[in-house]
């Protein structure tokens, strides 16, 4: 018997309980760094050293961070369902928690790529915990400066179409820790089949407009996932 398919869209709130700062909340990263400086192609071209240092620091933080209970519960859903995680997060906590099918919409912090063609598969490489930094002068396979494998503001989101295909075939759609204000990720809800159940896990009110029943779990990622387990496994 085929397992029902769950597609889970996760945002910064998914990793907040692991100690990773969100960008937009009070005390978040945007308060210390203007977005255009560290998360746009213009900022990178103007001061690549600053941008490389910013992401080198993020990588070092990630190496001392562990998946939280919410990440682990998402991975455990695979025991009962076919699960695809579509994440706006650039950390690797879903992978480390055990999830096996993950689509990173905004790139991956522990990878580097070409400054000339960031989406060239031949130039995308892994950064190891032993050597997590990118320095000026480090070269990609095409000879250009290595840059973070991050989708910056103003750049195309190459994996969005793959995420859409997953959303279109979902039997259950779950939203965890995202404000549904960042596009195109927030548009995924438009592609689900009418009438499938939608669950939203977030301690704050999240606007979700769709032709499906929406159940909101007003809790953080970990407590919310515990509650979702009870709901899904008692049906």
């Amino acid at each position: 018997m085929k397992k029902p398919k769950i597609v889970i869209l996760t945002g910064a709130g998914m990793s907040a309980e692991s100690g990773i700062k969100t960008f937009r909340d009070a005390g978040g990263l945007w308060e210390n760094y203007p977005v255009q400086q560290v998360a746009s192609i213009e900022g990178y071209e103007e001061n690549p050293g600053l941008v490389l240092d910013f992401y080198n620091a993020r990588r070092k933080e990630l190496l001392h961070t562990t998946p939280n209970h919410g990440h682990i519960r998402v991975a455990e859903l695979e025991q009962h369902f076919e699960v695809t995680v579509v994440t706006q997060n650039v950390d690797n906590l879903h992978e480390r928690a055990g999830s096996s099918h993950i689509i990173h919409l905004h790139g991956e912090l522990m990878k580097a790529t070409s400054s000339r063609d960031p989406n060239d598969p031949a130039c995308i490489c892994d950064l190891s915990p032993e050597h997590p930094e990118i320095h000026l002068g480090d070269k990609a396979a095409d000879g250009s400066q290595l840059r973070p494998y991050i989708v910056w503001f103003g750049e195309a989101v190459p994996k969005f179409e793959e995420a859409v295909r997953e959303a279109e075939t979902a039997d259950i759609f779950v939203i965890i820790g995202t404000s549904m204000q960042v596009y195109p990720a927030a548009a995924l809800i438009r592609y689900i089949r009418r009438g499938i159940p939608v669950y939203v896990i977030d301690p704050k009110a999240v606007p979700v407009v769709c032709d499906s029943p929406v159940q909101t779990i007003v809790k953080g990622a970990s407590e919310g996932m515990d509650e979702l387990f009870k709901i899904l496994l008692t049906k």
Side-chain angles (χ1 to χ4, degrees):
M1 181 176 175
K2 186 179 179 182
K3 294 179 179 179
K5 180 173 182 175
I6 298 181
V7 174
I8 303 176
L9 174 64
T10 68
M14 184 80 237
S15 295
E17 292 177 28
S18 292
I20 294 181
K21 286 185 178 180
T22 62
F23 279 97
R24 289 176 174 76
D25 289 341
L29 293 171
W30 287 155
E31 289 188 357
N32 300 319
Y33 296 90
V35 59
Q36 287 300 116
Q37 278 191 350
V38 297
S40 72
I41 190 63
E42 294 81 9
Y44 176 67
E45 290 173 347
E46 181 178 335
N47 193 340
L50 172 69
V51 176
L52 294 182
D53 287 345
F54 175 82
Y55 289 97
N56 287 341
R58 304 287 77 73
R59 249 176 253 114
K60 289 177 181 177
E61 290 175 357
L62 179 58
L63 292 175
H64 294 94
T65 303
T66 56
N68 61 57
H69 180 69
H71 289 110
I72 293 167
R73 292 297 261 169
V74 166
E76 288 174 347
L77 279 175
E78 294 188 14
Q79 298 170 20
H80 310 279
F81 302 92
E82 178 187 346
V83 181
T84 296
V85 176
V86 180
T87 186
Q88 299 170 80
N89 300 334
V90 297
D91 61 60
N92 59 3
L93 298 181
H94 279 300
E95 286 90 339
R96 286 160 57 189
S99 289
S100 60
H101 187 198
I102 304 156
I103 299 172
H104 283 272
L105 289 179
H106 297 160
E108 297 179 62
L109 188 57
M110 291 303 296
K111 291 186 178 181
T113 191
S114 158
S115 289
R116 185 178 301 136
D117 184 0
N119 298 311
D120 180 355
C123 293
I124 299 169
C125 59
D126 292 314
L127 297 169
S128 70
E130 294 76 28
H131 301 285
E133 297 187 342
I134 304 172
H135 301 285
L136 287 173
D138 291 346
K139 301 297 184 184
D142 63 3
S144 70
Q145 169 67 44
L146 271 179
R147 59 161 270 187
Y149 181 53
I150 302 292
V151 177
W152 287 323
F153 287 100
E155 293 187 307
V157 180
K159 295 195 175 181
F160 183 67
E161 290 186 5
E162 181 184 356
V164 166
R165 290 193 295 270
E166 294 295 320
E168 288 174 334
T169 58
D171 299 307
I172 300 167
F173 194 78
V174 181
I175 299 166
I176 308 174
T178 174
S179 64
M180 297 297 282
Q181 300 297 308
V182 177
Y183 287 83
L188 275 183
I189 194 74
R190 300 175 188 169
Y191 296 93
I192 66 172
R193 289 176 293 132
R194 178 177 295 184
I196 72 163
V198 174
Y199 298 91
V200 179
I201 298 174
D202 202 287
K204 299 179 181 178
V206 177
V208 175
V209 179
C210 63
D211 294 323
S212 290
V214 178
Q215 182 168 340
T216 301
I217 300 172
V218 188
K219 294 181 178 179
S222 294
E223 288 186 351
M225 278 303 303
D226 280 342
E227 185 165 329
L228 182 63
F229 250 79
K230 294 176 184 176
I231 293 169
L232 296 178
L233 297 185
T234 54
K235 287 192 171 185

